[in-house]
Amino acid sequence: MNLFRQKDIGFLLCQAFVLIIAFMPVQASFENFLYDLFSQKELNYASNELVIIDIDDKSLEALGRWPWPRYLHAEMIQKLDTEGAAVIGYNIAFVEPDNTPNSDDPILKQAIAEHGKVILPVFAERGSLVYPFRGKTAISGSSLGHVDVEVDNDGYVRRTYLKAGIDTPQWPAFGLAALHGLSTYSGFLPGTRSPSSRVGINSKWMRDLEVLVPFHRNPKSYQHFSFIDVLEGTDFKNTFANKTIFVGIEATGLEPTFLVPIKNNREMLSGTALQANLYTALNDSSLLTPILSIWGVSYAVLITALSYSILFFLKRFPVVRYIAIVVGIGLLMLPVVAVNYGYWLPIAPAVGGITLVVVMLISRMLNSAGIQRRNDNITDLSNHRMFEETLKLEWEQSLRKHTPLSLILLEVDYFKRFVDTFGPERGDWLLARISPILQSHKRKTRDFVARYDEDTFAILLPITPNNIALSIADKIRKDIEELQIEHTGSESAKIITASVGIATTHTSTQSARSDTNMDAFVLKSLKAVSKAHLQGGNCLHNTESV
């Protein structure tokens, strides 16, 4: 009956806290923080299979202002083809065709066609796709990949979409397109499906297959070459053979750069470097698929409820508690298992919920210890801990001196209904109002009064036979009834009443000489109170232990 009475508010508070975290903007920031902590522990290194050629300041100084004549790009592709490059990811937007009489477009297109595995970027402009050279499809020898960059609210890039396009997400990401160019790649595509990708919306940029990219501890650790050095150099034997080559702009001010979460470093990467990291993460299967937030909330509610139950509700049920602990350990391991299978479970709400449960546990432990406090805050009577210590001492005295020991337990009838009707403050007032009545019936200094439970009081009467204890209990019951405190929720009367249980033991017998029988003595008093309550309340039930 009292299982949830003291703890259900804390349980609801923890669940409310979980929901608050889950649906507040701070949740995304907290989730990003947790993911950044996790990703820094990953031992990721750049792939030796990928090389980046930078259009850098050195190259601009040597070859002139940007944009360069397209025959220079044709020469680069031809050179990489000669050196045996497997795939060339040429991240340069050849948007407008050159229609002049001496156009270099045919030379560039021929170089692309001759190599056969060149990846070019595709863009969206005013609700339509922009193909290279303003064509209607990819040119011969090339494949297309989108270079869309997703930036989180805090300015960092952590995620991308493996597919995107106008109306339907038909184009792979640039890094994915480069990996598709290798005949050896046949991997399963990770990523969270986007519901909007399945709905026909005209002239809108659509994205699908969202993934989290764990960046390398040194995302610039790929092998880099300057464009001009490669174009004019000759000593590149086996440098580019059978490798994927990305060509992109690194020169200052020509292309935007993006912030990525690297430990102890604010690293800015170009779009080409971002695609290189995506390529490597796809190649070594280290991308993570973010699980939908609703499952993260469900997980948080479940793990918080289970943690709270283990720590507060299930102490009286050891078998159920052990089962719950095993289940809880399994749930705690679920995010780790999910990561091992390539999924990221949102854990910010769960972390918040478990943290609050731990804080409540610590607070409860400090309060229980009470800095060794022995009094109840509301009634100023001794608390349950003091009652147990005093009972043990009196029990030992009774054993040694063969004297009777009586215990009266008094429970306020329908106290929870009273609190539900008038509020917890009124309930505290009622308990404080009853406590002086109990104190007034002490006959000697050894008589002991304590608050036993939320709505239950204990009166311990050493050297007191059962008939005297019964008389005292009845006087206390009548005094409480005479308070005439209104209680419309009571079934015994419309005023505050009490159910009283009395037990008396004579510890002269050999069978009473153990702590187990002391516990049984208290249990008889509890059963007596319960029987008095079942009889309608506002009455006594007497049981004498011999």
Side-chain angles (χ1 to χ4, degrees):
M1 181 176 63
N2 297 326
L3 182 61
F4 291 91
R5 189 169 292 176
Q6 292 180 328
K7 309 174 184 72
D8 52 358
I9 294 178
F11 178 83
L12 295 175
L13 179 62
C14 288
Q15 297 298 341
F17 186 67
V18 166
L19 295 177
I20 288 172
I21 292 178
F23 294 103
M24 287 186 66
V26 70
Q27 185 267 348
S29 299
F30 190 25
E31 196 68 50
N32 289 338
F33 171 75
L34 293 175
Y35 175 75
D36 292 346
L37 285 180
F38 162 78
S39 62
Q40 300 311 320
K41 296 181 180 180
E42 290 293 300
L43 297 178
N44 293 322
Y45 298 97
S47 172
N48 292 326
E49 299 176 359
L50 189 145
V51 177
I52 298 179
I53 297 177
D54 298 322
I55 299 175
D56 52 10
D57 294 330
K58 177 182 177 181
S59 301
L60 288 176
E61 184 177 351
L63 297 174
R65 295 179 57 185
W66 188 261
W68 293 333
R70 290 180 177 175
Y71 73 84
L72 292 176
H73 301 294
E75 289 180 9
M76 175 58 72
I77 293 174
Q78 290 169 352
K79 182 150 192 174
L80 293 176
D81 187 24
T82 302
E83 296 291 341
V87 177
I88 302 174
Y90 218 92
N91 190 18
I92 304 297
F94 302 115
V95 177
E96 299 297 335
D98 183 0
N99 296 319
T100 63
N102 297 321
S103 172
D104 295 330
D105 284 359
I107 301 175
L108 179 55
K109 291 179 180 180
Q110 182 179 357
I112 293 173
E114 288 177 354
H115 184 272
K117 290 186 177 180
V118 177
I119 313 301
L120 297 176
V122 64
F123 301 91
E125 182 181 84
R126 298 176 183 175
S128 61
L129 283 172
V130 178
Y131 292 93
F133 308 103
R134 293 287 179 178
K136 294 184 179 181
T137 184
I139 64 173
S140 176
S142 71
S143 299
L144 301 180
H146 78 82
V147 288
D148 187 23
V149 177
E150 174 72 6
V151 180
D152 289 337
N153 291 333
D154 58 359
Y156 286 86
V157 174
R158 297 179 180 88
R159 68 195 73 238
T160 190
Y161 292 84
L162 297 183
K163 294 291 185 68
I166 294 294
D167 298 337
T168 59
Q170 57 182 313
W171 300 111
F174 192 85
L176 175 59
L179 200 57
H180 274 312
L182 296 175
S183 59
T184 57
Y185 178 74
S186 59
F188 169 77
L189 285 183
T192 303
R193 297 303 309 272
S194 173
S196 60
S197 69
R198 306 165 196 170
V199 179
I201 301 178
N202 294 330
S203 301
K204 185 176 180 180
W205 184 254
M206 309 293 291
R207 301 182 298 185
D208 195 15
L209 298 179
E210 178 188 1
V211 291
L212 291 165
V213 183
F215 289 95
H216 307 300
R217 292 190 175 186
N218 181 5
K220 291 186 176 181
S221 61
Y222 296 98
Q223 193 174 11
H224 285 257
F225 293 92
S226 176
F227 190 97
I228 186 63
D229 291 340
V230 175
L231 193 64
E232 296 182 350
T234 57
D235 189 17
F236 293 104
K237 185 178 181 181
N238 298 325
T239 302
F240 305 123
N242 300 317
K243 294 184 179 180
T244 298
I245 314 299
F246 277 12
V247 180
I249 298 176
E250 289 284 343
T252 306
L254 289 186
E255 292 284 347
T257 55
F258 304 93
L259 193 62
V260 295
I262 303 299
K263 188 175 182 180
N264 299 325
N265 190 13
R266 293 174 61 86
E267 192 71 69
M268 301 293 291
L269 298 185
S270 67
T272 302
L274 292 178
Q275 295 299 327
N277 277 270
L278 174 61
Y279 174 94
T280 302
L282 278 164
N283 201 27
D284 60 18
S285 300
S286 61
L287 288 177
L288 295 177
T289 298
I291 298 174
L292 293 176
S293 298
I294 185 62
W295 295 112
V297 175
S298 301
Y299 172 75
V301 168
L302 181 58
I303 193 66
T304 302
L306 194 60
S307 301
Y308 195 95
S309 299
I310 291 171
L311 295 175
F312 296 103
F313 287 158
L314 300 178
K315 291 184 177 180
R316 299 182 184 181
F317 309 98
V319 175
V320 178
R321 192 184 189 197
Y322 293 147
I323 295 173
I325 289 173
V326 173
V327 174
I329 293 174
L331 286 176
L332 287 174
M333 295 299 296
L334 186 59
V336 178
V337 174
V339 167
N340 288 335
Y341 281 91
Y343 293 90
W344 177 260
L345 177 66
I347 57 176
V351 171
I354 293 174
T355 300
L356 184 58
V357 171
V358 172
V359 169
M360 285 186 171
L361 175 64
I362 294 173
S363 299
R364 182 178 176 84
M365 291 171 64
L366 291 175
N367 186 58
S368 296
I371 322 287
Q372 300 303 319
R373 289 185 56 180
R374 304 299 179 91
N375 290 343
D376 176 62
N377 291 332
I378 297 172
T379 63
D380 203 31
L381 299 174
S382 297
N383 59 19
H384 187 90
R385 177 179 177 179
M386 189 62 177
F387 166 77
E388 290 182 338
E389 293 177 358
T390 304
L391 175 61
K392 189 171 184 179
L393 291 173
E394 293 296 349
W395 185 267
E396 292 172 352
Q397 287 281 340
S398 184
L399 282 173
R400 285 197 300 269
K401 298 182 179 181
H402 308 294
T403 56
L405 178 65
S406 293
L407 174 62
I408 300 173
L409 288 182
L410 180 148
E411 180 183 283
V412 180
D413 291 328
Y414 306 103
F415 179 72
K416 191 175 188 305
R417 292 186 185 179
F418 183 84
V419 172
D420 292 341
T421 303
F422 298 102
E425 292 183 357
R426 185 72 172 173
D428 292 345
W429 171 86
L430 173 62
L431 298 177
R433 189 82 168 77
I434 292 174
S435 61
I437 295 176
L438 307 182
Q439 291 278 37
S440 68
H441 286 278
K442 291 173 59 176
R443 300 162 302 124
K444 47 185 178 288
T445 56
R446 283 181 63 185
D447 287 357
F448 178 80
V449 182
R451 185 180 179 186
Y452 184 84
D453 202 346
E454 182 182 12
D455 57 357
T456 307
F457 298 90
I459 303 100
L460 191 62
L461 304 173
I463 322 176
T464 303
N466 183 258
N467 61 329
I468 295 178
L470 184 62
S471 175
I472 293 172
D474 193 48
K475 290 178 182 179
I476 293 174
R477 182 193 63 79
K478 290 179 180 179
D479 286 349
I480 293 174
E481 186 179 15
E482 289 174 359
L483 290 174
Q484 293 293 305
I485 298 174
E486 180 185 2
H487 184 8
T488 56
S490 174
E491 295 182 8
S492 59
K494 297 305 178 182
I495 58 174
I496 289 294
T497 58
S499 298
V500 187
I502 307 101
T504 303
T505 184
H506 298 279
T507 54
S508 57
T509 60
Q510 184 68 27
S511 62
R513 296 174 179 273
S514 69
D515 284 345
T516 302
N517 284 319
M518 183 183 74
D519 294 337
F521 173 57
V522 175
L523 183 60
K524 282 191 175 183
S525 299
L526 290 171
K527 289 182 177 179
V529 171
S530 180
K531 289 181 180 179
H533 184 75
L534 291 174
Q535 291 172 5
N538 194 23
C539 64
L540 309 178
H541 188 87
N542 181 27
T543 174
E544 182 175 353
S545 175
V546 181

